[in-house]
Amino acid sequence: MSRGLQECGVTIKKPGSMEAVGDALAHLVRINTESDLAESGRATVVLSGGNTPRHYLQAVANGRESWKGISVTLSDERFVPTNDKESNEALIRSFFLRTEAEIVGLRGTATLPTKAADEATERVNNSCHWPASVSILGFGLDGHFASLFTESDCQKPGSTACLATRHPATGAGRISMRFDRLLKTRRIIFVCNRDKYAYLQEAADTNGPSTLPIMRFLKASGDRIELLVTSD
């Protein structure tokens, strides 16, 4: 195991295939939501969009017989209509449509990303139970996670749950959960392939830039993080 990741307290597991990853995630979501439901009658699951989740979301949705009392929200969202093929909310709804989960999207109908982030904060605060039971996230080879691309994105002042950011390459608007809000999770799971795992190991073992959002997050919450590495 990577020395740097071990020092952060990160748990590494290598289930192998995406099917095995889906089974592992379904189990983790089930056991972590059960404890919160038993305690308060409510639970929150934070999910991410993109290509990789398409391979495991069905297993997660099927992993519980009932989703009653559970809110499912997003780590981040593109500033596109909720019926757009690039919408993370549309992706999540397609897998959870037949469940009792309450889907709490971030986009809404606002005409500006900043206004959308403010409205998303209201929905997230009113409809989700915090701390979240579990968050299933991903990260990029540039060190970003959710839509937190820079050190500045991680440190922006404010007490809201969400903020507006921009993709550094395209300038496209995004809505993201804040760094501190994503930390309010009992169990945090990152899913990555072998290339991203190698990138993360190198960054951790060489004491990579603490300005990288993913490294800041690992150091802030490593002992609650489980890294699932796929072979696909």
Side-chain angles (χ1 to χ4, degrees):
M1 178 181 175
S2 162
R3 173 183 53 80
L5 293 177
Q6 190 172 28
E7 289 176 355
C8 288
V10 177
T11 299
I12 312 293
K13 292 185 179 179
K14 300 180 180 181
S17 68
M18 270 298 179
E19 182 179 0
V21 168
D23 290 342
L25 290 172
H27 173 72
L28 287 166
V29 168
R30 185 168 57 251
I31 61 174
N32 282 282
T33 52
E34 282 297 340
S35 60
D36 280 347
L37 287 170
E39 181 179 321
S40 65
R42 297 182 64 196
T44 295
V45 175
V46 181
L47 299 173
S48 56
N51 291 323
T52 299
R54 296 178 190 274
H55 299 287
Y56 63 68
L57 283 173
Q58 193 63 67
V60 172
N62 292 343
R64 291 193 54 88
E65 290 187 8
S66 172
W67 283 82
K68 186 176 181 179
I70 301 175
S71 299
V72 175
T73 190
L74 292 152
S75 63
D76 63 315
E77 179 62 278
R78 296 174 175 85
F79 193 66
V80 297
T82 55
N83 61 354
D84 191 280
K85 65 179 182 179
E86 295 297 319
S87 166
N88 290 340
E89 181 179 340
L91 175 69
I92 300 303
R93 287 189 182 279
S94 71
F95 287 99
F96 285 82
L97 186 64
R98 292 181 175 82
T99 74
E100 298 168 292
E102 179 183 9
I103 308 300
V104 183
L106 304 186
R107 173 60 181 90
T109 58
T111 56
L112 294 173
T114 51
K115 181 63 173 175
D118 289 341
E119 293 179 358
T121 289
E122 185 174 357
R123 288 192 297 275
V124 165
N125 285 341
N126 290 340
S127 299
C128 297
H129 174 75
W130 299 97
S133 305
V134 60
S135 292
I136 304 175
L137 309 173
F139 63 91
L141 288 171
D142 58 357
H144 86 273
F145 73 100
S147 281
L148 302 173
F149 297 101
T150 66
E151 182 180 23
S152 176
D153 288 341
C154 298
Q155 294 180 322
K156 283 183 179 177
S159 58
T160 57
C162 303
L163 78 163
T165 66
R166 290 196 176 275
H167 191 284
T170 65
R174 299 286 185 94
I175 303 113
S176 182
M177 287 272 190
R178 285 187 182 272
F179 186 97
D180 289 346
R181 180 56 64 104
L182 288 169
L183 282 176
K184 293 181 179 179
T185 305
R186 299 189 191 280
R187 194 67 181 166
I188 302 164
I189 304 159
F190 280 94
V191 179
C192 68
N193 60 25
R194 286 174 291 188
D195 289 342
K196 290 183 179 181
Y197 178 48
Y199 165 83
L200 197 60
Q201 287 185 100
E202 182 177 1
D205 289 345
T206 59
N207 196 24
S210 60
T211 55
L212 291 175
I214 185 62
M215 290 308 302
R216 291 176 61 89
F217 199 71
L218 292 186
K219 291 176 180 179
S221 59
D223 62 348
R224 287 181 285 132
I225 289 179
E226 191 164 317
L227 192 65
L228 298 185
V229 184
T230 76
S231 59
D232 297 344

